[in-house]
Amino acid sequence: MTGAILTAIVFPLIGAAVQRLTGPGPRFLLGLGASGFVLYVAMVLHIPPLPLAIGLVAAAVITLVVRRSTGDPALRDRVPRASVAATVVTAAPIGLLLFASAVLPLRDYDGRAFWVLKAKAIANEKAVDGPFFRGESGHSPKNEYPLLVPVVAAAVMMATGDSDDLQIRWIYVLALGSFAFHARRWTGPWPPALIAWLPQFAIAPEGGALSAYNDIIMAAFVACALFELI
């Protein structure tokens, strides 16, 4: 549960700091993306990731303390008033998925064979180009897959000192919830309320929020980029 608590606190904290610098955005996804990018670059440059992660959190706290919120007031005014019913409908499946992620073991093939395996290798070797990825300490399947989310998952594993996949399961559920709540800025409260109820997101054993696929996170990033472009 330590990893779940860190996931629910640290990434939104970093995302809130990014919001202070860039304006409105999905807080958890901003924190996830910023953390993954900084840690990935650090590992490419062979900078120790754990002290950098601590520094990143400290920088986020300082930013929140000293920097006022940014953003166009007109844009903030465009945020629709969400009804209580729509908020409950949006949050209910996210809450159930968080509970399931905290107690159920990981079952999907890609999550166990590719994504979490890469995260464990990064956490163990403290590098994204270590022996595992060079094929020197074992077989590295799908070596061309992007590593932003495995890097973030590895950071959680390093912070908790535990490479059990239960430590990182909330990342995928909270990414889905972050996108669902952020989408209300453009569509109103009810269309996004149905996002987390879609079977492909909620209960699909391969690619859903209870798996360790990166599909939902990638889809959320792309959708948010589309909103910004519009």
Side-chain angles (χ1 to χ4, degrees), residues 158-175:
M158 286 186 279
T160 60
D162 187 357
S163 61
D164 191 304
D165 59 65
L166 282 175
Q167 298 290 353
I168 62 171
R169 299 288 299 284
W170 277 21
I171 292 173
Y172 309 93
V173 180
L174 289 175

Side-chain angles (χ1 to χ4, degrees), residues 14-212:
I14 295 173
V18 175
Q19 285 180 327
R20 290 288 176 90
L21 299 173
T22 65
R27 185 169 297 178
F28 182 82
L29 287 171
L30 285 172
L32 189 73
S35 302
F37 175 75
V38 171
L39 291 172
Y40 179 82
V41 172
M43 290 185 187
V44 168
L45 299 175
H46 301 286
I47 298 172
L50 199 51
L52 182 65
I54 296 172
L56 190 62
V57 174
V61 172
I62 293 171
T63 300
L64 290 172
V65 170
V66 304
R67 178 96 181 203
R68 290 186 176 182
S69 181
T70 62
D72 183 358
L75 181 60
R76 291 198 295 269
D77 292 341
R78 230 174 36 192
V79 180
R81 291 183 178 274
S83 68
V84 174
T87 300
V88 171
V89 171
T90 308
I94 300 299
L96 292 174
L97 290 170
L98 288 174
F99 174 77
S101 295
V103 299
L104 296 178
L106 189 66
R107 296 182 297 168
D108 65 287
Y109 177 78
D110 276 25
R112 291 180 290 112
F114 305 138
W115 296 111
V116 175
L117 185 62
K118 294 179 186 300
K120 291 182 178 182
I122 295 169
N124 181 57
E125 298 174 354
K126 310 294 189 296
V128 293
D129 56 356
F132 174 81
F133 293 98
R134 297 196 299 267
E136 297 172 1
S137 63
H139 176 53
S140 175
K142 303 295 183 181
N143 217 21
E144 72 279 6
Y145 277 14
L147 294 178
L148 186 143
V149 177
V151 163
V152 170
V156 174
M157 291 177 178
M158 286 186 279
T160 60
D162 187 357
S163 61
D164 191 304
D165 59 65
L166 282 175
Q167 298 290 353
I168 62 171
R169 299 288 299 284
W170 277 21
I171 292 173
Y172 309 93
V173 180
L174 289 175
L176 175 63
S178 180
F179 169 65
F181 279 99
H182 183 64
R184 304 199 297 186
R185 179 179 298 275
W186 285 272
T187 66
W190 279 108
L194 304 178
I195 290 176
W197 291 92
L198 295 174
Q200 182 58 38
F201 291 153
I203 61 174
E206 304 286 331
L210 294 180
S211 73

